Amino acid sequence: MMRINEEEYKSGLTRYSILAIIYAIAIFVPSSIYLSLMLGSGSVGSSFFTLLLFVELGRLAGIKITKQEAAIILMFAGGMEFNLMQLIYRSWFVKSDIARMFGISHKIPWWYAPSAYSNAYEMRSLLHPDFFAPMMIIVILSFIGIFVSWGWSMLAKEIFIEEENLPYPMADMTAKLILTMTEEREDFSLKILGVSALVGLAYGFITYVWPFFLTITAGIPYERAVVIPLPWFDLTRYFGIYLPGAVLGIATDISAYLIGFILPFHYILQIVIISFLIFVVGNWLSVILFPPYGYKDWWFPNLSAQSLAQRSVLYIWASLTIGFSLSVGLIPLISRPDVLKKLFKKIVSLHSKIEERRTQPIPGGFLLGSIIPILIGFVTQIFCLLYFVPEWVLSNPWVLVFFPSVMFLSALARHRMVGETGISVDVSNVTNMIYYLTDAPVPVWFTPLPGFSSIALSGTPFDSWIGSTHEIKIAEITKTKFSSLLRTTLIFAPISIMLSLLFTQVFWSIAPIPSGRYPGAAIYWPIRATYSCIWIAGRETGFFNVNHVFVGAIAALFIQSISFLTKIPISIAALASGMSTLPPYAIAYLISGFLASFLKRFLGTLFWEKYRRIIAAGVSLGLGVMIAVGVSLMLIDASISGLPW
């Protein structure tokens, strides 16, 4: 470890980066909202497009964009898309036939959405007084979450970047793109980046632009114009007879094929093996050993790969995955007592600056910059439980300790997995598990519980408060001051919220949501509502098994012990990533891993190690630009089709 030069670190928050982020928010917030209404979900590709646009505009104007400015632009141009469309979904859900059919519409609490009898729905106005309470809960918890997420990010930074120095492969790739476009503009690197971007541009044109182009010019329905279906080719219809229950397919998202360029091959093998053991072999055995419909009757003939994955996770693998994943953060840390000792010293010390360190110190010190925000998060969790659902808490007082503890474990697990593999894991099912097993009343499912997301509140901006060391690692590589990240968030969060409110209101004023004007919402909102009501009303049984949670935790401990004793390089973080990686993506990782091995031999080790991250970053850059172009074409089509002539 060496002494850092703090003078090398500079703020990325400048007039130029502020202008770029304002542009991104103003242009891509409405695009993101509209895309979700038309297609159900989707990425706008705003961050790569904005970075490329402003770097090249700066070059033409004789302005040199620094790596710190580029880092801020890339991180915040796509990360400030605050979507208040959740409020419209809630208002529709309260009045929906689906909620009435399941007998829960009259039990939905006031803090979730206005009453079904409110005239706010007839007026279609988010500024109606009945929307004030639900909206303010979202806004207040979101702002508290900024500081809590910062605290978790700083704690994880000290553990996984400062002490363990994990590789963070995806952050490393993004940082390499930034450096290539700003500081390291050598001709050959730029040529590699340009050629790679052409690959992303070509693939993005086929998958995102061409279907919209045919829809606009030839009137062909979008579904028929699609050349390459996203996110995968479903192969279950061809192999379902021979391997009933197996989730099989080939990913068509080119981003999945970049993992092999970044991750070491032994990580990829571990992810692929565990993915196939669970979703192919495990699912198949659970069907043939428990005929006719599998273990807990989870399987039916002719299910799609997506349905097979969802049902097998719920009925078989969710509990096991939760136990294994939560152990990933704690077990390796316990095996490193030296790290725990250093963390304890930093907590009791009033200073975060140490003479020799690998990264810049925490702004404000370890106590103020990390521990206090985390404690605020715990207190907010407990307050929300006691304020919104006190009766349920009194009958289950252990949840006041359980949720903060699980938040701690999930934070460690997610940051470690991102640090080792670049792939995160979703343990949000732990909330559904607790509500389900305690037979929680309907209002509990709609309780805003910071750091967690129940099936009824998925997609809310406060469903994850555990921060992101991905951005922190990028800032460290590009020598960007951590304080500029926090200041950027505090400046643009209010702007993003106001613009999101404005554009959400505009889209709602144009036509009811969902309706034929917004087909994505009309298709996917009823599916989401039905899925939520099945959980909330308790219409199905057998989703979770607490014993399997402990089995997963014990399995993680056993594998870690075997790796420690035998010196076999087994990563329980990679295995946990594999447990949440579906086979179509695992196949893509394996293909790209073999391709990377071939290119390494063909081009030479030195060449490959120097330029592999630039190649992957270039493909991502080109794809992001084409996604932005595709969304623009869709918006043009929408504006033309809405005209009276």
Side-chain angles (χ1 to χ4, degrees):
M1 197 173 297
M2 61 182 180
R3 180 180 300 180
I4 65 167
N5 181 7
E6 292 192 48
E7 294 182 357
E8 294 181 355
Y9 292 86
K10 294 179 173 58
S11 173
L13 185 60
T14 65
R15 288 178 295 178
Y16 202 78
S17 60
I18 288 173
L19 178 62
I21 298 171
I22 290 175
Y23 163 82
I25 294 176
I27 298 298
F28 293 111
V29 164
S31 300
S32 176
I33 295 172
Y34 190 72
L35 191 64
S36 68
L37 292 173
M38 295 300 292
L39 301 181
S41 63
S43 172
V44 183
S46 56
S47 55
F48 288 113
F49 182 86
T50 304
L51 177 62
L52 178 63
L53 175 65
F54 276 81
V55 166
E56 293 306 314
L57 285 177
R59 189 165 65 89
L60 292 174
I63 301 173
K64 186 180 186 301
I65 306 301
T66 67
K67 58 186 177 183
Q68 291 86 2
E69 290 173 324
I72 291 294
I73 293 172
L74 190 63
M75 285 188 274
F76 287 93
M80 298 301 293
E81 295 171 1
F82 196 103
N83 194 342
L84 281 177
M85 188 54 65
Q86 184 71 214
L87 285 172
I88 309 298
Y89 169 79
R90 293 181 182 189
S91 65
W92 169 83
F93 179 79
V94 167
K95 294 172 62 66
S96 69
D97 294 334
I98 297 170
R100 282 198 296 269
M101 183 179 65
F102 279 89
I104 67 172
S105 58
H106 62 288
K107 300 177 183 178
I108 297 174
W110 58 268
W111 61 79
Y112 180 75
S115 164
Y117 304 102
S118 172
N119 63 356
Y121 302 130
E122 296 179 3
M123 297 174 62
R124 297 212 302 267
S125 173
L126 288 174
L127 299 180
H128 191 281
D130 291 350
F131 270 109
F132 180 77
M135 188 184 303
M136 288 309 298
I137 289 172
I138 291 177
V139 172
I140 291 172
L141 290 180
S142 297
F143 274 97
I144 296 175
I146 291 174
F147 296 99
V148 178
S149 298
W150 178 261
W152 282 112
S153 298
M154 291 297 100
L155 176 64
K157 188 269 296 185
E158 288 297 311
I159 298 173
F160 302 118
I161 301 178
E162 173 66 31
E163 298 298 337
E164 296 195 31
N165 194 26
L166 296 183
Y168 283 85
M170 302 309 293
D172 191 45
M173 179 198 77
T174 304
K176 190 64 178 177
L177 170 65
I178 293 170
L179 295 175
T180 302
M181 295 181 69
T182 56
E183 302 287 319
E184 302 173 0
R185 293 182 66 90
E186 58 176 91
D187 291 341
F188 193 71
S189 294
L190 289 174
K191 288 179 180 178
I192 294 291
L193 183 69
V195 172
S196 303
L198 287 176
V199 175
L201 286 168
Y203 194 86
F205 177 82
I206 295 172
T207 53
Y208 293 98
V209 176
W210 183 246
F212 288 127
F213 178 77
L214 289 180
T215 300
I216 294 173
T217 58
I220 300 175
Y222 177 81
E223 293 75 13
R224 291 176 54 193
V226 170
V227 179
I228 301 176
L230 294 171
W232 55 54
F233 285 114
D234 192 340
L235 299 179
T236 54
R237 69 181 70 178
Y238 306 109
F239 296 96
I241 299 176
Y242 312 103
L243 294 170
V247 180
L248 292 170
I250 299 177
T252 53
D253 181 359
I254 196 172
S255 300
Y257 293 88
L258 303 178
I259 296 294
F261 289 17
I262 307 301
L263 279 185
F265 193 70
H266 69 275
Y267 274 107
I268 295 174
L269 281 181
Q270 292 175 70
I271 293 172
V272 171
I273 289 172
I274 200 70
S275 175
F276 270 76
L277 283 177
I278 288 178
F279 293 108
V280 177
V281 178
N283 282 10
W284 173 65
L285 289 176
S286 73
V287 172
I288 64 171
L289 294 180
F290 299 92
Y293 298 115
Y295 179 67
K296 296 182 181 178
D297 294 336
W298 76 272
W299 175 81
F300 298 99
N302 301 319
L303 288 176
S304 66
Q306 181 177 358
S307 297
L308 287 171
Q310 290 176 343
R311 292 184 63 83
S312 64
V313 166
L314 283 176
Y315 285 95
I316 307 173
W317 307 116
S319 301
L320 192 70
T321 302
I322 288 172
F324 194 98
S325 298
L326 291 179
S327 301
V328 166
L330 189 61
I331 292 175
L333 192 60
I334 293 176
S335 64
R336 293 283 305 276
D338 56 320
V339 175
L340 292 175
K341 184 178 179 181
K342 290 181 180 179
L343 282 177
F344 180 75
K345 287 183 177 179
K346 292 176 182 178
I347 292 173
V348 299
S349 172
L350 295 178
H351 305 283
S352 91
K353 293 187 177 181
I354 298 177
E355 287 190 0
E356 293 185 351
R357 37 184 311 122
R358 180 178 287 113
T359 63
Q360 54 185 308
I362 299 175
F366 197 87
L367 182 64
L368 183 62
S370 178
I371 302 303
I372 290 179
I374 290 174
L375 292 178
I376 290 174
F378 290 154
V379 171
T380 306
Q381 278 186 337
I382 295 171
F383 172 81
C384 287
L385 288 169
L386 292 174
Y387 180 78
F388 291 112
V389 286
E391 297 84 0
W392 182 70
V393 174
L394 289 176
S395 60
N396 301 277
W398 52 271
V399 299
L400 296 177
V401 176
F402 176 83
F403 282 115
S405 301
V406 171
M407 187 176 182
F408 174 73
L409 293 176
S410 63
L412 293 179
R414 191 174 298 185
H415 287 300
R416 176 172 291 280
M417 279 185 266
V418 170
E420 287 195 25
T421 68
I423 303 169
S424 183
V425 65
D426 182 14
V427 294
S428 61
N429 266 333
V430 69
T431 318
N432 300 324
M433 179 181 71
I434 296 304
Y435 294 167
Y436 180 83
L437 294 176
T438 58
D439 195 22
V442 170
V444 175
W445 291 86
F446 296 93
T447 301
L449 184 60
F452 295 92
S453 175
S454 72
I455 190 67
L457 289 172
S458 60
T460 50
F462 50 83
D463 60 3
S464 178
W465 275 16
I466 62 174
S468 172
T469 43
H470 174 81
E471 283 77 15
I472 298 299
K473 181 68 174 180
I474 294 173
E476 188 61 40
I477 296 174
T478 58
K479 305 297 182 183
T480 304
K481 285 185 176 181
F482 292 156
S483 57
S484 64
L485 273 66
L486 182 59
R487 291 203 310 273
T488 305
T489 304
L490 293 175
I491 290 172
F492 286 103
I495 298 174
S496 183
I497 290 173
M498 288 188 291
L499 285 177
S500 178
L501 175 63
L502 171 64
F503 288 115
T504 301
Q505 179 61 63
V506 168
F507 287 125
W508 200 19
S509 300
I510 292 173
I513 304 174
S515 64
R517 188 70 183 80
Y518 304 115
I523 294 171
Y524 292 106
W525 283 14
I527 296 173
R528 175 184 171 185
T530 303
Y531 189 57
S532 300
C533 289
I534 289 174
W535 280 80
I536 297 168
R539 295 294 178 87
E540 291 201 32
T541 59
F543 280 165
F544 292 108
N545 188 319
V546 177
N547 294 329
H548 291 177
V549 176
F550 291 105
V551 170
I554 293 171
L557 178 60
F558 176 76
I559 293 172
Q560 180 72 12
S561 301
I562 293 296
S563 176
F564 178 78
L565 294 173
T566 62
K567 307 301 180 184
I568 299 175
I570 301 175
S571 168
I572 59 174
L575 297 181
S577 298
M579 294 177 75
S580 59
T581 300
L582 297 178
Y585 293 102
I587 292 173
Y589 299 167
L590 189 62
I591 291 173
S592 62
F594 281 123
L595 177 61
S597 299
F598 168 76
L599 291 175
K600 185 177 181 179
R601 288 177 175 270
F602 181 74
L603 299 174
T605 301
L606 292 177
F607 181 94
W608 179 249
E609 291 300 325
K610 182 177 181 180
Y611 294 109
R612 62 188 177 91
R613 290 182 292 274
I614 297 178
I615 295 172
V619 175
S620 297
L621 176 64
L623 182 65
V625 170
M626 278 295 108
I627 291 174
V629 172
V631 172
S632 300
L633 286 176
M634 186 176 67
L635 292 173
I636 293 171
D637 177 51
S639 63
I640 293 175
S641 62
L643 295 175
W645 58 82

